[in-house]
Amino acid sequence: MSNKDETIWTVIEGAGGTLKDGVCLSRRALLFGMLAGCLQLAASDTMGRASAISPSETQITLPDAIKWTTWSGAPPHIGEMATLYGGLDQPGPYLVLMKWYPGYMSAPHSYATDRLSLVMSGTWWVNSGADFDPDSTAPVPAGGFVRRVAGTPHYDGVKRDAKQPAVIALFGIAPVHLKLVDPGKPGWRKI
């Protein structure tokens, strides 16, 4: 290596670069080149096009296609349910949406399996225990998560002064086997 080559090498090393096969790359140039390459890929036509969705691989239900049904055996305007996957009485996982209207809560009850709940909209009021006390419920706003442990009594719903219903996504393993703490009373309460 000549003195000139050694001087160039020293300058390159001082700048944090490398010299390989006569090509000089500084860290900054290397990073800039990688960024430019990524941007070019992102802007290419092939990145913007997706293949057609196969219904055997991906099922989509848009909000206006969700079928809501009233709860059987309950007065009108207490709540509605939409089954998105599985079912509460079919063995295996399920996903349902439950809509509670203001002024109603469930009576204390339990389930045979854990239930995972995510509040999608509104505020859901919840508590645990066999004694029904709507004033001691805790608010769970949209985005909040609640886990109901199998076999533990609890109750929930929406307070009377709420401006909108609460919609809750419920996940679990069925069959659910709902058990009321006091089967002699209705499964819901007007508050």
Side-chain angles (χ1 to χ4, degrees):
M1 200 182 281
S2 70
N3 283 344
K4 183 178 177 185
D5 291 337
E6 286 178 17
T7 303
I8 293 171
W9 183 249
T10 303
V11 170
I12 292 169
E13 283 183 321
T18 59
L19 179 65
K20 183 174 180 178
D21 299 328
V23 177
C24 170
L25 295 176
S26 70
R27 288 184 191 151
R28 185 176 298 144
L30 185 59
L31 290 173
F32 180 74
M34 290 190 312
L35 176 61
C38 289
L39 290 174
Q40 185 177 13
L41 281 175
S44 71
D45 285 339
T46 58
M47 294 295 287
R49 287 183 284 190
S51 60
I53 293 176
S54 169
S56 66
E57 297 172 0
T58 302
Q59 294 90 39
I60 297 172
T61 305
L62 298 176
D64 60 348
I66 293 174
K67 293 180 177 28
W68 292 91
T69 59
T70 56
W71 295 343
S72 62
H77 302 302
I78 286 181
E80 297 176 272
M81 188 171 286
T83 301
L84 300 177
Y85 182 81
L88 299 178
D89 56 352
Q90 301 171 13
Y94 65 86
L95 169 58
V96 297
L97 296 178
M98 181 171 49
K99 186 185 295 185
W100 272 106
Y101 287 100
Y104 294 96
M105 290 192 157
S106 61
H109 62 282
S110 64
Y111 303 112
T113 58
D114 282 7
R115 178 176 272 191
L116 308 176
S117 310
L118 181 64
V119 180
M120 306 299 291
S121 65
T123 300
W124 191 36
W125 294 80
V126 302
N127 201 354
S128 298
D131 296 323
F132 183 72
D133 181 7
D135 292 331
S136 67
T137 55
V140 184
F145 172 79
V146 175
R147 175 182 172 220
R148 297 296 199 180
V149 177
T152 59
H154 61 274
Y155 52 96
D156 44 64
V158 177
K159 297 222 174 168
R160 179 182 22 240
D161 59 351
K163 303 285 186 248
Q164 65 180 16
V167 176
I168 302 98
L170 304 172
F171 310 86
I173 304 296
V176 170
H177 297 299
L178 179 128
K179 181 180 175 187
L180 291 170
V181 170
D182 185 351
K185 293 183 179 178
W188 52 272
R189 303 280 193 273
K190 185 172 184 168
I191 54 171

